[in-house]
Amino acid sequence: MKYILETKNLTKKYGSHYAAKDINIHLEKGQIYGLVGRNGAGKTTILRMISGLSQPTGGTFDVFEKEGLNNPVTRARIGCLIENPGIFPKLSARDNLIIKCKAIGVPDIKVADELLEMVGLSDTGKKKAGAFSLGMKQRLGIAMSLIGSPDIIILDEPINGLDPQGIIEVRETIERLNTERNISFIISSHLLDELSKIANKYGFIQNGELLEEITAEHLIEKCTKRVEISVNNTEKAMLELDKMGIKDMMVIDKNHINVLEGIDRTPDMLRQLINANIDVYELVRKNESLEDYYINITGGGKNV
Ligand code: ATP
């Protein structure tokens, strides 16, 4: 099975306005999929449809190759944390989890302790959830979404409004669940740099449309723009690189050259320069940032 979740022209139209149009998302087992877009791009709309919280006006989706629309069996394989985690503020984390277990018919409430452990909240005891930090509340929300052992977790802007420590804790929780439990994630965010620390696939959304779907590996490749080389003799270095057939390069100053082609030939470049007795101080691939890439494909505007 290639995809555990696949949307097929998933569409949501409000009046004449498309909040999401012909969305085709492909999630593989074990992937962390970053759904990236500005406010109002359509991320929540898409996630709500996949989570069964709203009905598409067009298209459908498959979960583990079975029709996912209005299907309680496939629905149970997806856990979600969208908008409000639905936490009772006067109850402890454990009691919140027990209530949800009972509500959705999970008989073994020992699951609550396991889940607290998984999200790093097992030492919160009787402390009321209302007194938790935002990061702790998010982790409790993630624990709630894990009840019923779903294979896919959907998180809508899980780090929005968190302080740096909260962001790290939520990120580490996601990474742990992904590596230890092989849970796949779809995570929406407009915080690209943060998302790039964990996502291995991206979908870029703008105006309700999926502009591009790309793996992190391929994205890094696409963002790799140049090799910056620092040497004691740029003239000699350029002659050596030229011998390798490299023509697209420029001198930046008396010690630096930028090479704009043959990006994947850095080991050969290094060997060539060293064999010619040139001192190489540094040879490094420089990337366009993920944010720059996003700005380029969406046609400008820094407000991501
Ligand atoms: P945000 O990060 O701000 O939540 P988003 O990418 O999740 O943004 P959505 O909430 O999915 O965006 O909204 C996409 C578009 O659909 C917006 O133009 C929004 O105004 C519109 N929209 C969403 N829900 C409704 C609704 N119930 N009725 C009408 N329009 C809606």
Side-chain angles (χ1 to χ4, degrees), residues 8-183:
K8 298 174 168 178
N9 295 327
L10 202 62
T11 297
K12 182 84 178 182
K13 206 172 170 191
Y14 292 108
S16 60
H17 173 71
Y18 285 98
K21 187 165 187 272
D22 293 327
I23 303 294
N24 295 310
I25 281 174
H26 304 86
L27 175 74
E28 287 172 41
K29 180 91 187 136
Q31 263 177 345
I32 299 181
Y33 190 110
L35 198 59
V36 185
R38 296 183 174 85
N39 289 340
K43 306 180 295 295
T44 306
T45 302
I46 295 165
L47 298 185
R48 284 176 59 84
M49 289 190 283
I50 299 169
S51 307
L53 299 173
S54 92
Q55 281 289 330
T57 51
T60 184
F61 62 95
D62 285 355
V63 182
F64 291 93
E65 293 183 337
K66 299 223 162 53
E67 171 70 48
L69 209 54
N70 303 320
N71 182 342
V73 178
T74 54
R75 171 75 196 83
R77 304 191 78 165
I78 300 178
C80 66
L81 175 55
I82 295 185
E83 288 144 14
N84 187 342
I87 293 170
F88 294 105
K90 296 213 161 123
L91 298 182
S92 67
R94 188 168 185 274
D95 286 344
N96 263 290
L97 289 168
I98 289 173
I99 285 199
K100 174 123 190 234
C101 282
K102 287 183 175 162
I104 66 171
V106 172
D108 183 7
I109 57 169
K110 271 190 250 139
V111 158
D113 293 316
E114 247 181 70
L115 292 178
L116 287 175
E117 181 75 40
M118 269 191 231
V119 300
L121 288 177
S122 47
D123 59 353
T124 52
K126 288 193 174 6
K127 185 169 178 165
K128 290 182 178 145
F132 283 6
S133 69
L134 257 184
M136 291 165 80
K137 282 182 189 153
Q138 279 305 66
R139 283 185 284 142
L140 177 54
I142 293 174
M144 310 246 285
S145 73
L146 287 164
I147 294 173
S149 306
D151 304 273
I152 303 165
I153 299 282
I154 291 178
L155 304 174
D156 191 19
E157 298 271 5
I159 52 175
N160 227 4
L162 300 189
D163 61 16
Q165 182 58 27
I167 290 178
I168 293 170
E169 286 166 4
V170 168
R171 189 207 310 144
E172 288 179 350
T173 302
I174 294 168
E175 278 175 329
R176 195 163 56 245
L177 292 169
N178 180 247
T179 51
E180 291 175 11
R181 304 257 159 171
N182 205 17
I183 293 175

